[in-house]
Amino acid sequence: MPLYSYRCTACDHDFEALVRSSDTPVCASCGSAALERKVARIAPDTKADKFLNTARRAAAAEGHFSNYSKAERSRI
C-alpha cells in the first residue's frame, strides 16, 4: 500500500494515509471525503557517504590527501 499525503478541502487539515487502490480515504480530523492529494517530494539518495568514502580511500592509496581535513590527516 502506498503512502499518500492529503489536504482536506473542508477543514484544511494535512495528513498522510496508507491507501489501497480500491479504498477511498477520509479526513482524520472531520471525516470528510473531499480530499486533495498532494505531490510528494522525492527522498534523497543516501548512498553519497559510501561514494565519498570510496573516493577518499582511493585517493589515499595513491598518496593524495588533499581531500581530507587536517584532523583527518593526523589519523591516517
Side-chain angles (χ1 to χ4, degrees):
M1 287 189 296
L3 178 67
Y4 292 108
S5 296
Y6 291 96
R7 185 183 71 78
C8 178
T9 56
C11 70
D12 204 35
H13 177 71
D14 291 328
F15 65 97
E16 292 181 336
L18 288 171
V19 181
R20 291 185 183 150
S21 60
S22 61
D23 292 344
T24 303
V26 294
C27 178
S29 179
C30 70
S32 173
L35 302 175
E36 181 178 277
R37 190 163 50 179
K38 295 170 47 174
V39 177
R41 293 191 300 177
I42 298 172
D45 188 11
T46 59
K47 297 178 186 176
D49 292 337
K50 291 180 184 178
F51 292 123
L52 179 60
N53 290 335
T54 302
R56 284 182 164 187
R57 273 189 250 114
E62 295 175 6
H64 305 287
F65 297 104
S66 61
N67 59 344
Y68 287 91
S69 68
K70 290 181 182 180
E72 289 172 323
R73 286 183 208 160
S74 65
R75 287 185 265 152
I76 298 175

